[in-house]
Amino acid sequence: MGKIVHIVLWKLKGPIANHEVAKEAISALYKVPGAEVMKLGPPLLDGRAKGFNWGLYSIFSSKEALQKYAVSEAHINVVENNVKPNVEDLIAYDFELEE
């Protein structure tokens, strides 16, 4: 089994002026252990992003590693306290990289 790519796209709440606070809060995900790679950032082409204005790209060693991350106390804490209060919508997408 290959590595797993985990992508999350968010529509941040409120006016653009508040988005920096939201981005800073969401960046607490960097402190959650489990991902081999994790990057956060805005879309390069806004017109194609359908309103999603902040995203996460991460790589996990296995499906089991992603599942362990998803249910970890650290991840749940960041999602509940940092992510959910700052987003109005999200989409998550996971797929396996071929070896």
Side-chain angles (χ1 to χ4, degrees):
M1 178 176 247
K3 295 186 182 218
I4 304 298
V5 174
H6 173 61
I7 297 171
V8 182
L9 303 177
W10 297 286
K11 290 182 182 178
L12 302 178
K13 283 184 182 175
I16 291 174
N18 294 341
H19 288 183
E20 290 308 313
V21 171
K23 291 173 186 177
E24 183 65 30
I26 292 169
S27 71
L29 287 167
Y30 282 126
K31 297 177 183 173
V32 178
E36 293 181 356
V37 173
M38 182 176 288
K39 301 291 180 187
L40 293 162
L44 292 177
L45 304 171
D46 285 338
R48 296 178 1 165
K50 298 192 178 208
F52 290 95
N53 49 13
W54 197 242
L56 173 141
Y57 168 86
S58 54
I59 297 177
F60 290 83
S61 61
S62 65
K63 183 178 176 182
E64 293 75 25
L66 173 59
Q67 290 170 330
K68 183 177 177 182
Y69 164 86
V71 300
S72 72
E73 184 177 335
H75 179 254
I76 291 169
N77 183 49
V78 171
V79 168
E80 292 297 323
N81 297 308
N82 296 59
V83 177
K84 284 185 178 180
N86 290 294
V87 301
E88 62 183 59
D89 196 10
L90 69 86
I91 185 169
Y93 191 90
D94 308 309
F95 63 93
E96 183 179 354
L97 294 174
E98 297 202 18
E99 294 183 358

